[in-house]
Each structure stands twice: as C-alpha cells, then as structure tokens.
Amino acid sequence: MTRSRASRVLVLNSGSSSVKYQLLDMRDGSRLAVGLVERIGEQTSRLVHTVPAGPNAGTRERTDPVPDHGAALKAVGEELARDGLGLDSPELAAIGHRVVHGGQRFTAPTVVDDEVLVEIERLVPVAPLHNPANITGIRTARALRPDLPQVAVFDTAFHTTMPEHAARYAIDAATADAYRIRRYGFHGTSHAYVSRRTAELLGKAPEDVNVIVLHLGNGASASAVAGGRCVDTSMGLTPLEGLVMGTRSGDLDPAVIFHLGRVAGMSMDEIDTLLNKQSGLVGLCGDNDMREIRRRIGEGDRAALLAFEIYVHRLRKYIGAYYAVLGRVDAVVFTAGVGENAAEVREAATAGLEELGLVLDTELNAVRSAEPRLVSPAHARVAVAVVPTDEEREIARQTFALIGNTSTGKTATGESHA
Ligand code: ADP
C-alpha cells in the first residue's frame, strides 16, 4: 500500500436530505472540488458540483432524482471521476465525516470502525436530528471504499475541555448522569478553526491568547477559548441553548415549556417545533435572513428592529459573560454568515464597550473581504476580528493529521485542537 503518498481528503457533511462535500489536497491545502446534493429522496433532487480552479474549472448541475444517500454518494463519485478525481483514486487518503454529536466519549477525531459506529448510534437520543444522517453517510462511504480510513470529526469534541462547572446543569445530579444531560456544545470545528486562525492573525501562539468566538450563522453560538482550549460555550445538551438564532429561541426560562404544555395545551413535539423552527429571528419578525431584516429596518419596520435589538442584546450578554469567564480577553472574533457579513451586528454588539477595551474602527468594519482581518484600531486593548470559518478545511486537516500520526491507534488522543 502506498498510502503515504496519498494526500487528498474528501470531506462529507451528511444531513437528513443533503450531502455537502469538498475534496482537498492536503499538500498545499488546495480545494479540488466542492459540491452539494440536496433534496435527497425527492423528485426534485439536485447536485451542484464545482471545480474552483485549473483546466476543469467550472460548475455542473444534475437534476436526476437521488433516492437515498447511497445514490447521492455514487453521483458525487461520478462527478468527481469526470474531473479525474474519482473515489477510486489512489491519491485519496481518507474520507472525513462531520458528526454532530460525539458525547463525552469522543474528544478527538476518530477512525471509524464497527464499535465506533455503535457508539455514535448510542448518541442518537441526544442528537436525533443529526447523528442518524451522519451515520448513513459514514456507512455509505465505507461500503464504497472499505479499504479507506473513514474519520469522524465531532462538532462537540472541541468543547470537551470545558470544566465540569461549565458543562453541568444545576439539576439533580443522578438524573443528569442517568440521561447524560450536560452541556456538550456544538459548532466545535468552527470554534477550533476560528480561534486558531485568530491567534495567527494576532501573530501569537494559540496557547498565549484568550478569545471570545461568536459563530453567527443560521445557527449561532459563542465560546470562550483560553489558551486554545474551550472553557465555555453557549449551546448545551442540544443546539437550542444560548444566542438568538435564525429559527431557534436560544436561552429561555425552562418554565416556558411547562406553561405552553399546561396553559396552551401544546404537545412536546409542538413545543419542540416552536422553539427550534418557529422562534429566534423568524419567530420575532418572520424573517431569519439578516440581510432582509436590515432592509426592513431601513424601511422603518418595527418588528424587524425589535428582532435585531433582541438578537444583539443576547450577543452582548454573552460577550460580557465570557469576558468574566476568561478574565483577560485578547480578541473578540466574528464568524459565519452573519458574523462575517453583517457590519451592523458587529458594530451594535461592541458599541459602548470601550471600558472593556473593545473599540471598532468604523472604516475597517465596513470593508467586505473573505480574508481574516482586524476591524479594531491597531492600538486597541482587545482586538476585534472577522475570521471566515471553514469547517470543511478543519475537518480535512484533523482527518489528515490523524491518519498521518496514527497507524494503529483509533483516536488521536494527542491531537491538539488549538
Ligand atoms: P448556516 O451554515 O448556519 O446555515 P451561514 O453561516 O451560512 O449559516 O449563515 C447564513 C446566514 O448568514 C443567513 O441566514 C443570513 O442571515 C446571514 N448572511 C449571509 N450573508 C449576509 C450578508 N451579506 N449580510 C448579512 N447577513 C448575511
């Protein structure tokens, strides 16, 4: 086997009705192909495949029905093969899979075998919306290339360094233990990548900086990262806790749930749907896209303005909380769709916090760029930064590091997340 020469990693992010993928060459970090299969199982399935550079550069689209994940991966393999990048290529070193929930067991990327799959399945009750699709993706990829290392990279792993006082809820300890109720945190791959890139941007080692990461996409989470290790994060048992999100409520008094059950007569499933899908920005004003909300605010729409204010207020509370958790903060960094693009959110979230050392440079904040950058003045005590996230690249990096470092061990226990 000449696997030592192979340098490509295929990253798969399998959702319930979609598969996102990227093929990266780890020798130079180049992106060879990226794509998406969506509406799997429907008649209107669609595959969009893009080769970003080189002689085959361009985008192709397929609209033939894709009945299941097996067919999706087969179609992805066919598209890659058309560009000479097929799944059977000896250049392919491994397949890295995003797995949302790794519980307490998976603290690092892990080569998947039967026992690991059973463990990921055991976590389905705490991640019913995500882990089943991730498992299907892994099984399908294994069937296609049983000889290749399949590596699971967990959204929760970066947060497993949280101390118990941050990870546990103040509920009956025996009940919590029996049902594995604790704060796991999510978006960990993004928080790991962005906090490390922020240290690079500051010209420092990750061990030397304390960072508050604000991942503001449709889902949103904050984390406090001390010297490269996560010490607190805003999502909890599930991705519902914490910040106001596109469709999720984030923090609320748990008694709201009893009230909805007892007084409004709603079922558990109805309350689940309300809080996960009909709340957050969409619940407050009917839109979850920050661009649309800003447009409406410009037209004097009061519901949109209130939604924006509630969103920003929660964000500011977390910045303050994590400032206190960390004691000393070197940088506050914004990432994901809203964090990278919405200058108004960055401005409102940091306004009036000069006493904490947080100052924005209005001109730098207005610049649109895909590059990591500072949006605070050079002399500021706390840097404010925008660092575009790249979860696929981080999954590929961790996957490649694991298979390069371990030939027998299953878990990269020595893997640094920093
Ligand atoms: P996710 O990966 O959680 O689906 P993203 O990180 O892609 O989400 O973020 C999507 C969100 O980013 C959109 O819902 C929208 O609110 C916001 N967004 C994207 N582009 C812009 C923009 N130019 N200005 C403001 N907000 C934006």
Side-chain angles (χ1 to χ4, degrees), residues 20 187 215-219 281 288-291 294 336-338 341-342 344 368 389 391:
K20 292 184 199 151
H187 290 144
H215 176 113
L216 311 177
N218 211 3
L281 293 171
N288 62 344
D289 193 311
M290 193 53 80
R291 284 163 290 201
R294 292 303 309 175
V338 176
N341 295 298
E344 309 88 350
R368 301 189 64 82
T389 193
E391 286 161 288

Side-chain angles (χ1 to χ4, degrees), residues 255-301:
V256 169
I257 295 162
F258 319 141
H259 188 78
L260 288 171
R262 291 177 189 141
V263 179
M266 290 175 73
S267 69
M268 280 297 170
D269 284 347
E270 284 169 341
I271 300 171
D272 192 331
T273 302
L274 178 83
L275 298 182
N276 273 298
K277 304 214 167 111
Q278 299 160 353
S279 297
L281 293 171
V282 95
L284 288 165
C285 74
D287 272 308
N288 62 344
D289 193 311
M290 193 53 80
R291 284 163 290 201
E292 186 59 16
I293 291 172
R294 292 303 309 175
R295 192 191 62 71
R296 284 173 52 187
I297 292 172
E299 291 177 348
D301 186 315

Side-chain angles (χ1 to χ4, degrees), residues 187 190-191 193-194 213-221 243 290 311 333-343 345-346 368-369 373 385-391:
H187 290 144
S190 175
H191 287 280
Y193 175 81
V194 169
V213 181
L214 305 169
H215 176 113
L216 311 177
N218 211 3
S221 64
L243 299 173
M290 193 53 80
Y311 182 95
V333 54
F334 290 84
T335 192
V338 176
E340 292 164 28
N341 295 298
V345 170
R346 297 194 295 262
R368 301 189 64 82
S369 160
R373 58 199 187 275
V386 179
V387 174
T389 193
D390 196 339
E391 286 161 288

Side-chain angles (χ1 to χ4, degrees), residues 226-245:
R229 290 165 69 84
C230 177
V231 293
D232 205 351
T233 195
S234 61
M235 285 177 167
L237 174 74
T238 76
L240 182 56
E241 189 180 346
L243 299 173
V244 175
M245 311 183 209

